[in-house]
């Protein structure tokens, strides 16, 4: 590898399915802006994923995509999950799914920042008083728990009934490493971690809590640690979300709570995420950046989806994979500027607001970047 290319962050850009390609196109424009105008050292390689390559080649994830992901330092991902058609058989989808990617690259630390943008307080379904000062991160463990636990399956019992089963499982190592990430994150923020579990019922949660407490005691006593049962956490997220700084939790609780927390940000369409793998011996870690929203097949192809979740995922890439905090802050500011000037897609529009298309929202962010830079 030549010295010029070795300093470049290799980004695989995978729009995927549903609204994924539309929103990712805007995020990619923004990333290119940083490459061109701010000399962000990135090379982009586009790759296909999902129903389109499946119909063309029989692969949900064609070999070129597998290769692009393998060589990438960072992946900018759109969405997975097409319309409920029989076009892609479940086995083909399972073999090449987003879940498989998370597992293959051990992307255990899923950061989902929840920020209530002042400009969206009116459009958000929660009261302005509830939204004041909301700025927290849900750190979701992404490679364990019931998503991957064995045994799992659907079986037919001798009496003809069918039985579906999954296993919630956490080992100490998986708990410890995500708890460590939580404490380290909190030290750079407001110094508070809330660990969410269901330790009143589930053994996996009992162990979770014990391990979080032990690590806290051994290495992170300066961080304020609290614990919450997941049902209470769901309520607190809509009752008093400003209390949270870093919330750390297992895979399925994090999945559910992050959709719930999206109401603090006004819309699911606003939420970005980063999924980080372990740090390797060169100090690098593989990372996947994607909006939290899914493929939204009902609005796919209409050009009306909100690209801000994807665009804000680029800000996370600038901060976490490129170590360019100033550029990340610039992009977040540009999004805020666009919003405070009234840029709205349908999902974040207050009554009477002019509604922008996906690409017009991309324009609004680029205009703001040009004005701010
Ligand atoms: C998410 C999504 C995924 C998940 C789906 C698409 C598998 O809901 O990232 O939150 O459940 O993890
Ligand atoms: Mg989800």
């Amino acid at each position: 590898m030549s010295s010029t290319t070795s300093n470049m962050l290799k980004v695989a850009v995978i729009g995927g399915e549903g609204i994924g390609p539309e929103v990712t196109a805007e995020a990619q424009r923004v990333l290119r802006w940083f490459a061109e105008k701010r000399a962000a050292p990135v090379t982009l390689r586009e790759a296909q994923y999902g129903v389109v390559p499946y119909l063309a080649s029989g692969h949900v994830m064609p070999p070129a995509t597998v290769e692009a992901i393998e060589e990438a330092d960072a992946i900018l991902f759109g969405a997975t999950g097409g319309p409920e058609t029989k076009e892609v058989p479940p086995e083909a989808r399972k073999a090449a799914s987003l879940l498989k990617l998370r597992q293959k690259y051990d992307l255990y630390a899923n950061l989902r920042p929840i920020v209530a943008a002042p400009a969206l307080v009116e459009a958000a379904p929660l009261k302005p008083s509830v939204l004041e000062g909301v700025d927290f991160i849900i750190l979701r463990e992404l490679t364990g728990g019931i998503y991957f636990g064995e045994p799992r399956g659907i079986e037919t019992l001798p009496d003809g009934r069918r039985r579906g089963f999954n296993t919630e499982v956490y080992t100490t190592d998986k708990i410890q490493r995500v708890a460590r990430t939580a404490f380290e994150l909190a030290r750079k923020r407001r110094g508070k971690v809330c660990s969410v579990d269901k330790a009143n019922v589930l053994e996996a949660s009992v162990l979770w809590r014990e391990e979080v407490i032990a690590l806290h005691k051994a290495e992170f006593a300066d961080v304020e640690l609290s614990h919450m049962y997941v049902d209470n956490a769901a309520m607190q997220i809509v009752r008093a979300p400003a209390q949270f700084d870093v919330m750390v939790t297992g895979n399925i609780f994090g999945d559910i709570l992050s959709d719930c927390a999206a109401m603090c940000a006004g819309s699911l369409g606003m939420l970005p995420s980063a999924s980080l793998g372990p740090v390797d011996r060169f100090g690098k870690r593989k990372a996947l950046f994607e909006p939290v929203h899914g493929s939204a097949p009902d609005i796919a192809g209409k050009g009306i989806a909100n690209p801000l979740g994807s665009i804000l995922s680029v800000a996370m890439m600038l901060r976490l994979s490129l170590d360019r905090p100033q550029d990340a802050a610039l992009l977040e500011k540009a999004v805020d500027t666009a919003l405070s000037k009234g840029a709205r897609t349908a999902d974040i529009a207050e009554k009477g607001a002019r509604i922008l298309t996906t690409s017009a929202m991309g324009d609004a962010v680029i205009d703001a970047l040009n004005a701010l830079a």
Side-chain angles (χ1 to χ4, degrees), residues 26 29-31 33-34 37-38 117-120 270 306-309 311-312 314-315 318-319 325-344 348 356 360-373:
E26 300 311 312
R29 276 174 73 199
V30 167
L31 187 53
W33 186 94
F34 279 91
K37 301 279 165 73
R38 310 268 298 183
L120 293 185
M270 292 298 300
N306 183 352
L308 294 180
I311 288 172
L312 288 169
V314 169
L318 288 165
R319 186 173 282 119
Q326 286 170 348
D327 280 346
L330 174 67
L331 177 49
E332 284 157 357
K333 183 140 191 245
V335 168
D336 275 345
T337 304
L339 290 172
S340 53
K341 285 187 166 172
R344 297 288 186 273
I348 50 173
L356 298 184
M361 182 59 102
D363 294 343
V365 174
I366 302 253
D367 287 350
L369 280 171
N370 284 324
L372 288 167

Side-chain angles (χ1 to χ4, degrees), residues 298-314:
D298 52 322
I299 58 164
K302 296 188 180 160
I304 60 171
N306 183 352
L308 294 180
S310 188
I311 288 172
L312 288 169
S313 300
V314 169

Side-chain angles (χ1 to χ4, degrees), residues 107-112 138-142 273-276:
L107 305 173
Y108 68 94
N110 179 223
L111 280 66
R112 299 186 162 189
I138 296 181
L139 174 60
R140 168 186 177 194
E141 200 293 323
L142 205 58
S273 83
S275 306
L276 309 176

Side-chain angles (χ1 to χ4, degrees), residues 8 144 155 179 228 347 367:
M8 301 292 263
E155 65 184 12
M228 216 176 253
D347 59 316
D367 287 350

Side-chain angles (χ1 to χ4, degrees), residues 279-295:
V279 179
D280 68 16
R281 62 185 200 282
F282 307 108
K284 292 191 1 176
R285 61 199 314 191
K286 195 121 175 158
L288 185 146
F289 299 87
E290 58 174 328
V292 175
H293 65 70
S295 58

Side-chain angles (χ1 to χ4, degrees), residues 204-220:
S205 278
V206 171
L207 183 71
W208 177 281
R209 192 177 285 216
E210 283 176 9
E211 290 301 324
V212 171
I213 289 172
L215 183 65
H216 176 250
K217 193 170 169 217
E219 293 182 42
F220 296 96

Side-chain angles (χ1 to χ4, degrees), residues 13-325:
V13 180
I14 304 175
E17 302 176 294
I19 59 172
E22 302 160 45
V23 297
T24 307
E26 300 311 312
Q28 190 175 357
R29 276 174 73 199
V30 167
L31 187 53
R32 282 195 200 286
W33 186 94
F34 279 91
E36 280 158 24
K37 301 279 165 73
R38 310 268 298 183
V42 290
T43 58
L44 307 189
R45 174 172 172 182
E46 283 187 72
Q48 287 197 313
Y49 168 93
V51 60
V52 170
Y54 181 80
L55 292 177
S57 71
H59 296 286
V60 172
M61 215 184 277
T65 304
V66 174
E67 188 191 291
I69 292 172
E70 184 62 34
E71 69 165 29
D73 304 298
I75 301 145
L76 180 61
F77 192 82
T80 178
E84 298 293 281
T85 63
K86 308 263 172 301
E87 283 169 317
V88 183
E91 319 79 68
R93 197 171 268 289
K94 246 188 205 162
S97 67
L98 179 61
L99 296 180
K100 278 265 154 33
L101 275 187
R102 292 171 177 173
Q103 192 177 36
K104 177 171 179 190
Y105 294 108
D106 203 12
L107 305 173
Y108 68 94
N110 179 223
L111 280 66
R112 299 186 162 189
I114 313 292
V115 181
L120 293 185
V121 162
E122 281 308 313
L126 300 177
K127 283 189 207 150
S129 60
V130 169
L131 293 177
E132 211 175 296
V134 171
D135 177 356
F136 67 106
I137 292 188
I138 296 181
L139 174 60
R140 168 186 177 194
E141 200 293 323
L142 205 58
T143 60
I146 199 165
Y147 271 56
F148 298 101
E150 301 282 349
R152 63 189 297 161
I154 301 177
E155 65 184 12
T156 303
L157 300 173
D159 65 5
R161 284 180 304 156
R162 295 208 298 158
R163 176 173 175 270
F165 53 101
N166 293 87
T167 307
E168 169 73 359
V169 48
Y170 268 109
T171 48
T172 46
D173 53 321
K174 284 201 172 170
I175 302 166
Q176 283 163 1
R177 67 177 180 174
V178 77
R180 177 175 299 283
T181 306
F183 290 129
E184 284 170 352
L185 265 174
R187 275 185 177 159
K188 295 193 201 135
R189 297 174 49 95
R190 302 196 301 278
K192 293 200 313 186
V193 169
C194 177
S195 170
V196 172
D197 61 43
K198 189 71 185 172
N200 52 342
V201 179
L202 305 175
E203 280 76 7
S205 278
V206 171
L207 183 71
W208 177 281
R209 192 177 285 216
E210 283 176 9
E211 290 301 324
V212 171
I213 289 172
L215 183 65
H216 176 250
K217 193 170 169 217
E219 293 182 42
F220 296 96
D222 55 305
V223 176
E224 186 186 321
L225 172 65
S226 62
H227 304 272
M228 216 176 253
Y229 295 139
V230 63
D231 46 354
N232 184 30
M235 182 179 72
Q236 296 300 333
I237 282 172
V238 289
R239 194 191 76 88
Q243 70 184 286
F244 297 116
D245 181 17
V246 175
M247 175 182 283
V248 62
T249 191
N251 206 341
I252 193 158
F253 297 158
D255 177 47
I256 298 166
L257 293 177
S258 56
D259 270 35
C260 178
M263 291 304 99
C264 298
S267 159
L268 190 54
M270 292 298 300
L271 296 195
S273 83
S275 306
L276 309 176
V279 179
D280 68 16
R281 62 185 200 282
F282 307 108
K284 292 191 1 176
R285 61 199 314 191
K286 195 121 175 158
L288 185 146
F289 299 87
E290 58 174 328
V292 175
H293 65 70
S295 58
D298 52 322
I299 58 164
K302 296 188 180 160
I304 60 171
N306 183 352
L308 294 180
S310 188
I311 288 172
L312 288 169
S313 300
V314 169
M316 295 190 82
M317 183 188 294
L318 288 165
R319 186 173 282 119
L320 298 168
S321 284
L322 282 152
D323 194 20
R324 295 171 78 91

